[in-house]
Amino acid sequence: MNDDTRLDGLFAAEYNAGEGEERPLIEYEFVEEGDIENPLDETAEGDDEKSQLDIPTHMPVMPVRDIVVFNYMILPLFVGREKSVQAVDAALNANRFILILTQKDETVEDPGPDDLHEVGTVCMIMRMLKMPDGRLKVLVQGLSRARVTDFTSEDPFMSANLEVIEEHDVEETTSEVEALMRSSREQSEKIMQLRGVSSDDIASVLASVEEPGRLADLIASNLRMKVEDAQAILETQDHVKRLKLVNEQLLKEAEVASMQHKIQSMAKEGMDKAQKDYFLREQLKAIRRELGEEGGETEEFEELRENIEKAGMPKEVKKEAEKQLKRLESMHPDSSEATVIRTYLDWMVELPWKKASRDRLDIKEAKRILDEDHYDLERVKDRILEYLSVRKLNPKMKSPILCFVGPPGVGKTSLGRSVARSLGRKFQRMSLGGMRDEAEIRGHRRTYIGAMPGRIIQAIKQCGTRNPVLMLDEIDKVGADFRGDPSSALLEVLDPEQNDTFQDHYLNVPFDLSKVMFICTANVLDTIPGPLRDRMEIIRLEGYTEQEKVKIARRFIIPRQAKENGLKEEEVQIGDKVLAKVIREYTREAGLRNLEREVGSIFRKFARRKAEGEEGPFRLTTKSLQNMLGVPPFREDERERELPPGVATGLAWTPYGGEMLHVEVTTMKGKGKLTLTGQLGEVMKESAQAAMSYARAKAKELGIDPEFNENRDIHIHVPAGATPKDGPSAGITLVTALISALTGQGVCNETAMTGEITLRGRVLPVGGIKEKILAAVAAGMKTVIIPKQNEKDLQDVPNELRRKIKIHTVEKIDEVWPLACNAEPGEKKGKGGKKKAA
């Protein structure tokens, strides 16, 4: 085998020739080695061979699809396209030379000059065989690189003028070139070894080639690579650069071959092990049968059958379980379906079909536990005690579906845990926040890989009883997408009239959820769908007052933080005034989370002092408070000393409690244009329009220029522009600020207000009165104006809170301005009437 011979089958990919395609063939038995007439002089070397051939500058062109022909390369081609057949005939009738060019896009059936690469290979047609259908099989050998200068014809075949790209001899073989050649040979041998091919003869051929360019062409002609990469190598004239490109391709191929060999070895080992295990298992069965012993599978089936009997399943559920057990007995133990059924039966026998915990029906003891865990929250505690009382008188009653609604940090989740403790039941919490997949509730069908029951059934299994307290946390944050709507799946779960036959997709049998006590928590009700909200009993948990927070901190937070930080409660002395200052100046929230963080920060500093050797007790005073917690983020005197005309203070409700809301109005010369800024929602914009209409209608009574809407532009802005704001409760605040700006009369800086307005001048009720009054007291306000119809909500406001602030109720907008304007004693306040205290 000389170095001109192609190394077929070792690197090159196997191609399947199709209709009308020029592709290399693996089967070319029609070429007999002895019949090949080599036009090259075997005694010639290098470029002398080509010089003896006298390659012409004009010859036929044959396009090929997905192969690049290199120098010294002998390969068979299947010729099917008419133009290519004509080109081969023309070459055979002339001097047997033909230029082979690779197509840029192999999908083109009739390529033109623009569809072919400029650089190709001049080849000699060594042998040709005609097929009965007119197609040809030819054997060609690459002779020289050539570049097309121009195409002379396209019909009946393509021909072109070309220039031969001369191969330059390497003057001196440097160490770099020698290293590249050695690396190329070694990588080639490595690839052949990985593919299980004997490489002795091929290694000798590669070793006999001393020219880097010729070695690069020889390896490239037998290497698996993309057409683009092969064409780039063909177009590279410099021998060293060409060898570098080939070396890069060899490294990639070696890596792929190594990984393929590794995968095949792993697969073979896995198959061998599985066959060995199966053989041994069958032998073990045969030995046990000969000894008269029962097999392991039989013991497992008997155990499953006993567990099904003991599980206490309903009749139809037991029938389904026994049916699946019979299917399992008839299956091969190693089949995937057997694993699915075995897992299903494990779930069925482990669920508490009849096991229930006994309720603690001692009402006084339950009340003691609730009071021990939580301060106040009397409405919630009364509802739980009522449920226990009815349960004691009617054991068959269905469990209620409760929903605790309130701002974060008021104790909704911990209250659910306390309810379970007072009832003597198991407790399990399940967070629904961000849930978007309905299968999380109903489970997956067993046909899916990795299927499992929904989280409701999982929680009941973990509790081990059929009547736990199951808390569905953050039910207002359930989402929906292409996987379904979990809130719709909850409609059946949270309905006492139908959840006694709840069907999980995985179990596919009914499970009774009527004994489960579901407690849901939410920050807002607006995002909960109406049908789901209708199934729950809503219990609101309002924010805490300052006095309540002091008592809770004294009773719960301080002992807990002392224990967590390794201190004894008597080692730390914190007075009520200091706690009140922490609450006022370091936390502004409806709940208690930030207060607990601040108290924890104080205790950590005391723990450090104790760890450093300082003896207690440690005392916290109002003077040392700032050194412990830093500069207070909130101040009692935060409100402005005097509000300029056009500014009024309103009260807003958020899911996190009440907040202060300032409304600013300014006027300027113009044509009555109204500008609204501050990320106002549609409802708030409509309130601003209503305020404008009211001011225009009452202009004379309020002492305002009746034509202000024609000669003045008005700009209404609500600060904190990055925060979206919406809702109707800022109506009277907008009216007050607008009147203040038009009259030039300032609004009292100690007065805050809330209420919706109508065009007829009525003030309508709004929500969140307790949270808004809490925010007003925390900000140091002295007076609050609320709608008359919200007077009933004042019963939720503690007496100590009402004593700190004066509350006015109004029915009409006319009553608001006299209460809000900053007039001096004896000064006329308009026609609003006298102040009315709640």
Side-chain angles (χ1 to χ4, degrees):
M1 181 182 292
N2 58 36
D3 55 357
D4 292 336
T5 304
R6 184 164 177 255
L7 312 181
D8 290 301
L10 301 184
F11 306 108
E14 295 185 2
Y15 294 88
N16 294 319
E19 183 72 24
E21 296 181 347
E22 291 78 30
R23 299 181 180 222
L25 301 174
I26 292 308
E27 294 88 17
Y28 51 95
E29 291 81 357
F30 67 95
V31 178
E32 297 182 6
E33 188 173 351
D35 294 339
I36 296 177
E37 298 176 3
N38 193 341
L40 302 180
D41 186 1
E42 295 181 356
T43 61
E45 291 292 334
D47 293 335
D48 293 339
E49 297 172 350
K50 298 169 197 170
S51 63
Q52 294 178 19
L53 292 173
D54 191 16
I55 297 174
T57 59
H58 180 272
M59 65 181 66
V61 175
M62 183 172 70
V64 293
R65 291 180 187 273
D66 52 2
I67 186 67
V68 176
V69 180
F70 288 91
N71 291 352
Y72 321 112
M73 185 177 180
I74 298 175
L75 78 160
L77 291 176
F78 186 92
V79 183
R81 289 188 285 202
E82 183 60 30
K83 286 186 179 182
S84 298
V85 172
Q86 294 285 346
V88 171
D89 288 341
L92 291 173
N93 292 330
N95 49 20
R96 302 173 70 183
F97 288 107
I98 192 167
L99 178 63
I100 295 182
L101 297 178
T102 304
Q103 292 181 202
K104 296 178 181 177
D105 184 0
E106 67 177 39
T107 61
V108 177
E109 286 297 328
D110 188 14
D114 294 336
D115 298 319
L116 304 176
H117 289 283
E118 292 182 359
V119 178
T121 304
V122 176
C123 295
M124 172 71 71
I125 301 177
M126 303 175 65
R127 191 67 185 269
M128 184 270 288
L129 177 66
K130 283 190 177 182
M131 306 294 291
D133 58 358
R135 291 177 293 175
L136 306 177
K137 290 182 179 180
V138 296
L139 185 68
V140 298
Q141 179 178 14
L143 301 179
S144 175
R145 288 175 171 78
R147 178 179 286 106
V148 175
T149 56
D150 63 303
F151 286 88
T152 58
S153 67
E154 294 187 38
D155 286 314
F157 57 86
M158 280 195 289
S159 60
N161 291 324
L162 55 92
E163 59 178 2
V164 176
I165 301 175
E166 298 293 340
E167 295 284 341
H168 300 288
D169 294 335
V170 178
E171 297 179 358
E172 182 181 357
T173 303
T174 63
S175 57
E176 179 187 5
V177 173
E178 182 63 32
L180 285 171
M181 295 178 68
R182 187 175 300 177
S183 175
S184 299
R185 295 186 184 106
E186 291 175 354
Q187 292 296 332
S188 301
E189 293 176 10
K190 178 181 178 182
I191 294 171
M192 288 183 287
Q193 290 174 358
L194 289 172
R195 298 194 184 283
V197 178
S198 176
S199 61
D200 294 339
D201 295 337
I202 299 172
S204 63
V205 172
L206 295 175
S208 66
V209 180
E210 299 295 338
E211 298 176 8
R214 191 162 186 173
L215 179 64
D217 289 341
L218 180 61
I219 295 176
S221 64
N222 294 277
L223 190 61
R224 290 176 178 173
M225 55 182 159
K226 297 179 181 177
V227 174
E228 294 81 5
D229 296 332
Q231 184 68 29
I233 294 173
L234 180 69
E235 294 178 1
T236 304
Q237 297 185 37
D238 184 84
H239 293 193
V240 178
K241 290 182 179 178
R242 196 188 313 160
L243 189 58
K244 286 182 178 178
L245 292 176
V246 171
N247 205 35
E248 291 176 3
Q249 295 296 328
L250 277 171
L251 290 172
K252 293 180 183 177
E253 183 66 21
E255 185 176 352
V256 172
S258 178
M259 183 57 66
Q260 184 179 359
H261 179 73
K262 180 180 179 182
I263 293 171
Q264 291 174 348
S265 300
M266 291 172 61
K268 187 175 183 301
E269 290 176 2
M271 292 174 60
D272 292 345
K273 184 178 185 304
Q275 292 173 352
K276 178 182 176 183
D277 291 347
Y278 176 78
F279 181 70
L280 291 175
R281 195 176 291 111
E282 291 300 319
Q283 282 186 327
L284 187 60
K285 288 181 181 178
I287 292 171
R288 285 178 173 172
R289 281 196 298 268
E290 291 296 326
L291 293 174
E293 298 178 358
E294 294 184 353
E297 287 79 10
T298 306
E299 295 176 1
E300 181 183 0
F301 296 150
E302 289 300 324
E303 184 180 356
L304 279 172
R305 188 169 284 105
E306 291 177 6
N307 290 335
I308 291 173
E309 293 292 334
K310 295 177 182 177
M313 301 177 184
K315 186 177 180 180
E316 60 275 12
V317 178
K318 183 180 179 182
K319 183 178 179 181
E320 175 66 19
E322 291 175 344
K323 176 184 175 182
Q324 295 298 329
L325 181 58
K326 288 180 180 179
R327 289 186 60 201
L328 180 62
E329 289 175 341
S330 63
M331 290 182 179
H332 192 281
D334 293 334
S335 67
S336 58
E337 182 68 17
T339 303
V340 172
I341 296 178
R342 189 179 291 108
T343 306
Y344 172 75
L345 291 173
D346 288 340
W347 272 96
M348 294 285 280
V349 300
E350 290 175 8
L351 282 174
W353 296 97
K354 66 177 183 180
K355 184 179 179 182
S357 57
R358 181 174 298 178
D359 286 343
R360 182 186 287 116
L361 300 179
D362 187 339
I363 310 301
K364 293 183 179 180
E365 177 64 15
K367 185 177 187 307
R368 184 193 67 78
I369 293 173
L370 290 172
D371 290 339
E372 179 182 326
D373 291 346
H374 288 81
Y375 175 80
D376 197 21
L377 304 178
E378 295 300 329
R379 289 175 57 192
V380 185
K381 294 177 181 178
D382 288 344
R383 180 64 185 89
I384 301 304
L385 296 176
E386 289 169 4
Y387 165 73
L388 285 176
S389 301
V390 176
R391 177 82 176 170
K392 186 174 184 178
L393 301 176
N394 180 19
K396 296 183 179 180
M397 72 166 291
K398 296 182 178 180
S399 296
I401 311 293
L402 304 180
C403 182
F404 298 156
V405 180
V410 296
K412 301 185 294 296
T413 305
S414 62
L415 185 60
R417 189 174 285 103
S418 178
V419 168
R421 194 164 79 93
S422 64
L423 291 171
R425 294 188 181 186
K426 295 289 184 67
F427 175 81
Q428 193 71 26
R429 173 184 169 275
M430 189 173 80
S431 177
L432 302 181
M435 182 183 292
R436 294 179 178 274
D437 190 355
E438 181 186 349
E440 293 278 347
I441 303 297
R442 290 191 177 275
H444 303 80
R445 303 282 183 189
R446 294 200 303 276
T447 54
Y448 294 106
I449 296 175
M452 59 191 308
R455 294 174 63 182
I456 301 289
I457 297 297
Q458 290 182 41
I460 292 175
K461 177 192 172 186
Q462 291 174 3
C463 291
T465 61
R466 59 182 295 205
N467 63 338
V469 174
L470 193 57
M471 171 156 281
L472 307 180
D473 221 356
E474 311 291 354
I475 197 172
D476 57 328
K477 298 175 180 62
V478 175
D481 63 7
F482 65 93
R483 290 168 290 185
D485 185 1
S487 59
S488 299
L490 287 170
L491 291 176
E492 180 186 3
V493 175
L494 300 181
D495 190 346
E497 297 299 324
Q498 55 180 313
N499 64 4
D500 57 337
T501 56
F502 171 74
Q503 273 209 356
D504 186 275
H505 287 162
Y506 182 83
L507 300 181
N508 204 28
V509 292
F511 189 89
D512 186 5
L513 297 179
S514 62
K515 303 303 180 183
V516 179
M517 184 173 187
F518 289 100
I519 299 179
C520 307
T521 71
N523 297 130
V524 293
L525 288 174
D526 299 341
T527 56
I528 303 176
L532 184 59
R533 188 168 60 243
D534 184 62
R535 283 164 165 76
M536 301 184 291
E537 181 179 343
I538 307 298
I539 299 178
R540 294 187 178 273
L541 279 70
E542 312 293 350
Y544 296 106
T545 65
E546 181 182 309
Q547 289 73 19
E548 289 172 339
K549 288 182 179 180
V550 170
K551 292 178 182 177
I552 293 171
R554 178 71 60 196
R555 182 173 170 183
F556 298 100
I557 297 178
I558 289 178
R560 181 164 58 242
Q561 288 299 325
K563 182 179 180 180
E564 290 182 359
N565 289 281
L567 296 171
K568 296 179 180 178
E569 192 174 345
E570 57 271 13
E571 290 181 323
V572 179
Q573 298 177 0
I574 304 177
D576 289 351
K577 291 184 178 179
V578 180
L579 283 174
K581 188 175 178 65
V582 172
I583 293 167
R584 285 193 306 270
E585 298 186 5
Y586 291 89
T587 64
R588 283 280 174 88
E589 58 176 345
L592 298 160
R593 287 201 177 106
N594 286 329
L595 177 58
E596 178 134 11
R597 292 190 188 100
E598 299 298 337
V599 174
S601 178
I602 293 169
F603 273 79
R604 286 195 299 274
K605 289 177 173 56
F606 287 151
R608 178 181 174 182
R609 289 166 58 180
K610 182 179 179 181
E612 291 175 348
E614 186 176 341
E615 296 291 336
F618 305 102
R619 181 178 177 81
L620 181 65
T621 63
T622 54
K623 293 182 179 180
S624 62
L625 184 60
Q626 186 166 333
N627 294 331
M628 300 285 280
L629 298 180
V631 178
F634 309 103
R635 293 285 189 181
E636 289 186 71
D637 55 352
E638 168 176 283
R639 67 178 186 278
E640 298 183 30
R641 295 186 178 182
E642 184 175 348
L643 296 178
V647 180
T649 305
L651 294 170
W653 179 90
T654 70
Y656 311 103
E659 286 187 4
M660 304 299 296
L661 186 72
H662 293 284
V663 176
E664 300 176 349
V665 179
T666 185
T667 63
M668 61 208 83
K669 289 184 179 181
K671 298 182 180 180
K673 180 182 177 183
L674 176 62
T675 304
L676 304 172
T677 57
Q679 281 211 58
L680 307 185
E682 291 299 323
V683 177
M684 208 164 181
K685 289 179 181 178
E686 292 170 359
S687 297
Q689 297 284 355
M692 280 287 294
S693 299
Y694 173 79
R696 291 175 61 187
K698 297 288 184 178
K700 291 185 179 180
E701 299 178 25
L702 296 170
I704 302 172
D705 180 9
E707 298 181 355
F708 75 89
N709 64 309
E710 297 179 0
N711 54 30
R712 308 288 291 175
D713 284 347
I714 297 176
H715 186 164
I716 299 177
H717 176 69
V718 182
T723 304
K725 310 165 192 71
D726 202 4
S729 62
I732 66 173
T733 312
L734 288 164
V735 171
T736 304
L738 182 60
I739 295 174
S740 173
L742 293 172
T743 59
Q745 176 73 46
V747 178
C748 178
N749 68 322
E750 296 181 343
T751 301
M753 60 198 75
T754 184
E756 182 181 357
I757 60 172
T758 68
L759 288 177
R760 293 182 295 162
R762 297 181 59 209
V763 179
L764 300 183
V766 293
I769 292 297
K770 180 180 178 181
E771 287 87 351
K772 292 176 179 178
I773 293 177
L774 277 169
V777 173
M781 293 292 169
K782 303 297 182 185
T783 305
V784 171
I785 301 173
I786 64 172
K788 177 73 174 177
Q789 295 182 48
N790 281 118
E791 194 170 9
K792 64 182 185 302
D793 297 318
L794 295 177
Q795 64 180 356
D796 295 330
V797 181
N799 291 329
E800 65 268 16
L801 197 65
R802 296 179 60 181
R803 286 194 291 267
K804 289 187 174 184
I805 196 166
K806 185 179 289 186
I807 303 174
H808 297 278
T809 58
V810 294
E811 291 183 283
K812 297 182 178 180
I813 304 175
D814 297 341
E815 303 175 35
V816 177
W817 176 246
L819 294 171
C821 70
N822 196 16
E824 298 294 332
E827 186 178 345
K828 185 177 180 180
K829 294 189 176 182
K831 299 184 179 182
K834 295 181 180 180
K835 293 183 179 181
K836 183 175 182 180

